[in-house]
Amino acid sequence: MKTFLRNQLERYAQRLGELDFLLSREDIMGDMAQYRLLSREHAEVTQVAGRYARYVQREADLAGAREMLADPDMAEMAQEEVTGAEAELLQLEDELQRLLLPRDPDDTRNAFMEIRAGTGGDESALFAGDLTRMYSRYAANVGWKVEVVSENAAELGGYKEIVLRIEGDNVYGTLKFESGGHRVQRVPATETQGRIHTSACTVAVMPEPDETEAIKLNPADLRIDTFRASGAGGQHINKTDSAVRVVHLPTGIVAECQDGRSQHSNKAKALQVLQARIQEKERSERAAKEAALRKGLIGSGDRSDRIRTYNFPQGRLTDHRINLTLYKLLLVMEGDLADVLQAMAHAREAEQLEELEMGAAA
């Protein structure tokens, strides 16, 4: 184990003793807000300190087993212990590295996903529909719930824009690196010459705001319009002005919802999306500043950043940020996204570990 990691982990053992002392004090126990804060930290520190204690114990076991290798009568048993301890130490070191990485408090939150057609006209809208299906199928595979907040369907199929709310475990943490430009290369159904066209969509993934921490919107800064929801017609067409569009006047950011049955529920959802978009704008601006100081896996968060290409003639998916290429595009489009998402998560963890090591050396 690297020295800087061991130093970090030893601090956790020291901090655990401090927290045990603090939580035993009457003045701390009498302050519920402080007590809850320290209790939460205690649980996190206990997890890391406990795994590190196990690591130290297995190091001692390994050293003892290696000494026993010199005894012919004990050599076979000692070798089994050496093999087992070495394997567990590698596993524990990997686990401890992950536990030390800084966590985004939004990772556990539900998310809004906005998919918008870009260059490419009708083909781009069709691709937006394909992406919507891909993410929806992945969500179903992992047990997440997906609901449409608003949609603007295109005439030939797909969407000019669609906003989804995705609910489940660790949704934002899993999908946050999907934000950016997605490019598709394929022969459109309308192409008579068999030529490959290139189209693009943008995806934005935003954590659902915490009601207790959400930014407070000044009603004077909002313009709220109601309108009749668009639809395919028939008996289910909306005959009342229940759809809601909210405009945040200072920034010009717009959100709308037309999926709910009532104007009240649509307004509540539209305000949630608006808050998420405003927070995402602030987050992107911060990320852009940070990216100027380091290379940054996630870049500036600008949706114009081209992050991925879907090449149908070659059956190839390429993620340009981590030079990942997979030749199973049709499976990916059916929702088999696990390899892509895990590769992004591991790349980010490696980057964070490098930052942690540089910070320790500074």
Side-chain angles (χ1 to χ4, degrees):
M1 180 181 286
K2 294 180 179 178
T3 304
F4 88 94
L5 279 175
R6 196 179 291 274
N7 291 339
Q8 293 265 357
L9 289 164
E10 284 171 357
R11 289 196 198 106
Y12 274 80
Q14 294 169 5
R15 180 60 178 162
L16 185 60
E18 293 170 1
L19 289 167
D20 284 335
F21 170 71
L22 289 170
L23 288 169
S24 68
R25 283 172 39 174
E26 289 187 13
D27 58 330
I28 297 291
M29 287 189 281
D31 183 345
M32 284 309 297
Q34 180 79 342
Y35 185 78
R36 277 196 298 269
L37 193 67
L38 290 171
S39 294
R40 194 178 305 127
E41 184 186 355
H42 187 274
E44 293 172 359
V45 170
T46 297
Q47 183 186 17
V48 179
R51 299 314 286 158
Y52 181 55
R54 174 67 180 173
Y55 183 90
V56 172
Q57 178 60 53
R58 292 304 278 155
E59 274 190 321
D61 294 342
L62 178 60
R66 282 174 173 162
E67 287 180 4
M68 288 196 299
L69 285 172
D71 184 342
D73 295 331
M74 303 290 288
E76 186 176 346
M77 186 177 70
Q79 186 56 55
E80 288 181 12
E81 176 64 17
V82 166
T83 302
E86 286 177 340
E88 188 176 350
L89 282 168
L90 283 173
Q91 181 183 339
L92 284 167
E93 183 169 353
D94 182 63
E95 186 180 340
L96 285 164
Q97 283 182 3
R98 293 175 194 277
L99 287 171
L100 283 179
L101 297 178
R103 298 177 187 177
D104 185 337
D106 287 331
D107 278 354
T108 58
R109 308 200 65 75
N110 300 326
F112 291 110
M113 174 176 277
E114 171 191 288
I115 302 171
R116 182 178 295 176
T119 55
D122 293 332
E123 171 63 8
S124 177
L126 289 169
F127 183 50
D130 293 337
L131 290 176
T132 301
R133 183 170 177 270
M134 176 184 78
Y135 289 120
S136 297
R137 289 215 163 191
Y138 174 77
N141 291 341
V142 296
W144 293 344
K145 178 185 174 185
V146 178
E147 65 175 312
V148 177
V149 176
S150 67
E151 61 181 284
N152 184 359
E155 291 179 8
L156 296 182
Y159 303 99
K160 295 177 182 176
E161 181 184 17
I162 184 168
V163 178
L164 308 172
R165 178 181 178 270
I166 307 176
E167 178 184 342
D169 294 333
N170 209 46
V171 175
Y172 180 71
T174 305
L175 296 178
K176 62 184 177 182
F177 296 120
E178 294 302 290
S179 290
H182 294 242
R183 184 177 68 171
V184 61
Q185 295 172 327
R186 64 185 176 189
V187 179
T190 54
E191 169 58 57
T192 57
Q193 304 295 319
R195 291 173 298 190
I196 296 172
H197 287 228
T198 298
S199 305
C201 289
T202 57
V203 174
V205 181
M206 303 163 286
E208 184 178 61
D210 184 336
E211 291 182 8
T212 61
E213 298 176 6
I215 54 174
K216 298 294 182 271
L217 296 173
N218 184 347
D221 290 339
L222 304 177
R223 190 182 78 232
I224 300 176
D225 303 320
T226 58
F227 59 98
R228 188 163 297 179
S230 59
Q235 61 179 338
H236 299 298
I237 190 70
N238 194 324
K239 294 184 170 61
T240 63
D241 291 346
S242 64
V244 175
R245 181 184 296 111
V246 185
V247 182
H248 187 241
L249 299 173
T251 61
I253 295 174
V254 181
E256 65 180 49
C257 181
Q258 54 182 295
D259 195 58
R261 293 290 183 184
S262 72
Q263 189 180 113
H264 179 75
S265 66
N266 281 334
K267 179 182 175 183
K269 286 182 181 177
L271 284 169
Q272 268 199 316
V273 175
L274 184 70
Q275 288 183 320
R277 284 179 172 163
I278 292 171
Q279 288 183 345
E280 183 61 22
K281 180 176 182 290
E282 294 172 353
R283 176 192 289 266
S284 294
E285 288 170 353
R286 287 197 306 271
K289 290 177 183 176
E290 291 169 7
L293 301 175
R294 61 179 180 81
K295 58 178 183 177
L297 175 70
I298 60 173
S300 66
D302 188 330
R303 296 182 212 172
S304 65
D305 289 347
R306 189 190 72 192
I307 65 167
R308 193 173 296 152
T309 296
Y310 304 73
N311 186 302
F312 277 79
Q314 297 179 17
R316 169 175 57 82
L317 176 144
T318 301
D319 196 292
H320 305 288
R321 295 165 295 181
I322 56 174
N323 296 320
L324 171 73
T325 297
L326 298 174
Y327 287 91
K328 57 174 212 174
L329 181 56
L330 295 182
L331 288 174
V332 169
M333 298 309 294
E334 290 297 317
D336 185 4
L337 271 170
D339 289 345
V340 182
L341 298 174
Q342 285 173 9
M344 287 303 305
H346 290 157
R348 177 57 182 148
E349 286 170 358
E351 186 180 62
Q352 285 180 306
L353 195 61
E354 184 181 336
E355 290 169 5
L356 202 65
E357 188 168 1
M358 288 173 63

